[in-house]
Amino acid sequence: MATKTSRASKAPAYKCAECGWTTVKWVGRCGECQAWGTVEETGAAVARTTAATTVLEPARRIAEIDATTAAFLPTGVDELDRVLGGGLIPGAVILLAGEPGVGKSTLLLDVAAKFARTAQDVLYVTGEESAAQVKLRAERIDAVADSLYLSAETDLGQALGQVEKIEPRLLIVDSVQTLSSADVDGSAGGVSQVREVAASIIAAAKRRNMTTLLVGHVTKDGSIAGPRLLEHLVDVVCQFEGERHSRLRMLRAVKNRYGPTDDVGCFDLNENGIEGLTDPSGLFVSRTKEPVSGTCITVTMEGRRPLLAEVQSLLAESPNSQPRRATSGLDSSRVSMLLAVLQQRAGCLLHKDDSYVATVGGVKLSEPATDLAVALAVASAKARKPLPIRLIAFGEVGLAGEVRPVPGINQRIQEAHRLGFTHAVVPASHNGPGPVPAGFSVREVEHLTEALSLLIG
């Protein structure tokens, strides 16, 4: 029988749990990654394994491995399945992070109920609320199911005991920062505790082939709280985003071992719960009976998903020598640049006007492809002439006034046609706009003045 030998080597007394930086004395802040509270005592000696042990399960050829056990299981929430790449993978561990109040618990409670209604046992472990509070929310959003089990625990051992007893197919932990282990020093949410809790839950998930959803808190700068190791251990990391004053919520995968990371799921958070939005463009486009000057519809890309959004502009003569430039939902510096381009390259005099440029529905547009729509909306407001109805415009505008091509031109055109638009002003490109739907008119422009003369005169 093989034996194990080890060699002890002297190690520094303290080490950063985030980046591995070492020091001979304790400090509150890591000297390498500048993280606070991550330097911990490592001990005097580190054991290093130098001999192999008996193999319990021999390696197999990759062609002989059965991949059907890792097939996707639909959650019942189409927008979540879209982001995950098709659904839940047995044994996968998914981390869902987001700001407080964005709707993480509501989304996962809805997923738990819909998954439980497929005759699968689901265990929902909550460390932030009582069981009665979760039950009230479940009744409000119609998330009560016979196969859904609820446990209000903050002790890791008790939570793992519930897993042993129920043997669920899906485990939801809300949240990983509220659980603590009695075998590790420190309070819940600390670096050592989060690392131990995550490692224990992930080990149980892999051993039982149990899909696990973990809720994670975020810090002030939006990063996931706890050690960076947490994001490396899990299989999927999702960010749940949304503004407090808006009903729209967006789910993005920033890491996904089983699917793409360039897709976005859209949800509507309302008093009745949370609902997936297959077509969220209605939240971003205003509905007016008559065309109004200063408005323009554009198509922006959220990952691989095209979304329609409306840009509005209002100009008013300024009583001050320094006109005001106000924006909402757009990058203020980029809007200021576009105003300068309009004045210097297109002859649109704006130096005496206060300008207000905003998006509809609280959507944030950061893509350069929205430049042309912003410029057309401002020019329309200045000329007091509305743009043609059922028209979209997109393209990046340079400092010389040129309109540059953007990715996904044909995909944006197809989405606009699907939603009833009939005209598009797009940047000229070598490959052209691609196949254009019947009855849809596309005008390619190379300079901002072409678009202005075409639409406004």
Side-chain angles (χ1 to χ4, degrees):
M1 182 174 180
T3 59
K4 231 193 277 189
T5 61
S6 63
R7 176 170 54 87
S9 60
K10 190 71 175 177
Y14 297 92
K15 183 178 181 180
C16 176
E18 292 278 352
C19 65
W21 178 75
T22 56
T23 179
V24 295
K25 64 178 182 179
W26 183 87
V27 290
R29 188 176 189 178
C30 174
E32 180 68 24
C33 65
Q34 304 300 315
W36 287 95
T38 59
V39 179
E40 301 174 339
E41 188 174 2
T42 59
V46 178
R48 183 175 299 169
T49 302
T50 58
T53 59
T54 303
V55 176
L56 300 178
E57 184 177 352
R60 293 179 293 169
R61 293 184 176 90
I62 190 171
E64 299 174 356
I65 297 176
D66 183 13
T68 58
T69 57
F72 286 106
L73 299 175
T75 63
V77 181
D78 294 338
E79 292 299 299
L80 177 60
D81 292 342
R82 174 202 292 267
V83 175
L84 296 179
L88 301 175
I89 293 287
V93 180
I94 302 166
L95 177 64
L96 177 64
E99 294 183 354
V102 75
K104 303 182 298 294
S105 301
T106 303
L107 173 62
L108 293 187
L109 188 58
D110 183 54
V111 171
K114 291 181 178 178
F115 194 80
R117 288 169 186 156
T118 62
Q120 307 281 356
D121 288 339
V122 179
L123 174 60
Y124 189 103
V125 178
T126 174
E128 300 182 346
E129 301 173 280
S130 66
Q133 290 174 323
V134 178
K135 173 66 181 303
L136 288 175
R137 186 168 71 251
E139 291 178 341
R140 178 173 58 85
I141 66 174
D142 190 23
V144 179
D146 293 336
S147 299
L148 175 57
Y149 296 85
L150 181 63
S151 175
E153 293 287 354
T154 56
D155 181 73
L156 176 61
Q158 293 290 331
L160 293 177
Q162 296 284 2
V163 172
E164 293 281 345
K165 182 178 179 181
I166 298 174
E167 298 183 352
R169 191 73 181 272
L170 173 63
L171 170 66
I172 297 177
V173 179
D174 186 10
S175 64
V176 68
Q177 280 88 0
T178 59
L179 293 183
S180 61
S181 173
D183 299 330
V184 178
D185 295 332
S187 59
V191 174
S192 300
Q193 286 287 357
V194 171
R195 183 168 57 242
E196 175 65 19
V197 169
S200 301
I201 293 177
I202 291 172
K206 302 300 182 182
R207 186 175 64 254
R208 295 177 168 275
N209 206 28
M210 171 185 63
T211 306
T212 303
L213 291 167
L214 304 177
V215 176
H217 296 166
V218 296
T219 59
K220 291 181 179 179
D221 59 356
S223 60
I224 300 174
R228 195 73 176 180
L229 180 67
L230 178 61
E231 299 178 52
H232 293 288
L233 289 176
V234 299
D235 301 307
V236 182
V237 179
C238 293
Q239 288 278 359
F240 204 40
E241 307 168 354
E243 298 291 335
R244 288 186 175 271
H245 61 271
S246 175
R247 293 166 46 183
L248 178 70
R249 300 291 185 266
M250 288 190 176
L251 182 66
R252 309 172 190 269
V254 295
K255 171 190 174 181
N256 192 351
R257 290 174 177 167
Y258 311 115
T261 58
D262 56 353
D263 217 334
V264 177
C266 297
F267 297 87
D268 180 17
L269 183 65
N270 51 54
E271 61 276 3
N272 297 322
I274 192 165
E275 301 174 358
L277 293 175
T278 57
D279 182 17
S281 300
L283 297 177
F284 308 145
V285 179
S286 63
R287 305 296 181 185
T288 57
K289 295 182 179 180
E290 299 294 334
V292 181
S293 62
T295 66
C296 185
I297 309 296
T298 187
V299 184
T300 183
M301 296 294 292
E302 289 289 345
R304 295 183 301 171
R305 187 173 192 174
L307 297 176
L308 265 71
E310 181 175 343
V311 178
Q312 294 185 341
S313 175
L314 177 65
L315 300 179
E317 186 176 352
S318 177
N320 306 316
S321 58
Q322 186 71 23
R324 184 179 181 185
R325 303 290 189 250
T327 61
S328 177
L330 295 160
D331 184 11
S332 58
S333 59
R334 195 160 189 89
V335 172
S336 298
M337 181 199 74
L338 291 172
L339 294 177
V341 172
L342 278 169
Q343 177 154 319
Q344 296 298 321
R345 303 297 185 185
C348 190
L349 302 180
L350 304 170
H351 60 285
K352 295 183 179 181
D353 294 330
D354 291 333
S355 65
Y356 305 87
V357 186
T359 59
V360 171
V363 63
K364 292 185 176 181
L365 301 179
S366 58
E367 192 186 17
T370 61
D371 288 351
L372 185 57
V374 174
L376 290 176
V378 173
S380 172
K382 179 64 176 179
R384 296 185 180 181
K385 292 183 179 180
L387 297 175
I389 60 174
R390 298 185 181 181
L391 168 84
I392 62 162
F394 56 84
E396 181 182 357
V397 177
L399 292 178
E402 77 279 11
V403 181
R404 300 175 180 174
V406 295
I409 292 180
N410 187 258
Q411 190 176 0
R412 299 173 200 254
I413 292 175
Q414 297 292 339
E415 179 68 9
H417 177 261
R418 185 181 70 85
L419 295 178
F421 289 82
T422 57
H423 300 78
V425 178
V426 305
S429 62
H430 296 295
N431 300 326
V436 178
F440 196 92
S441 174
V442 177
R443 178 63 182 266
E444 295 184 271
V445 295
E446 296 182 352
H447 197 273
L448 181 59
T449 55
E450 290 185 56
L452 294 181
S453 60
L454 174 67
L455 301 177
I456 299 174

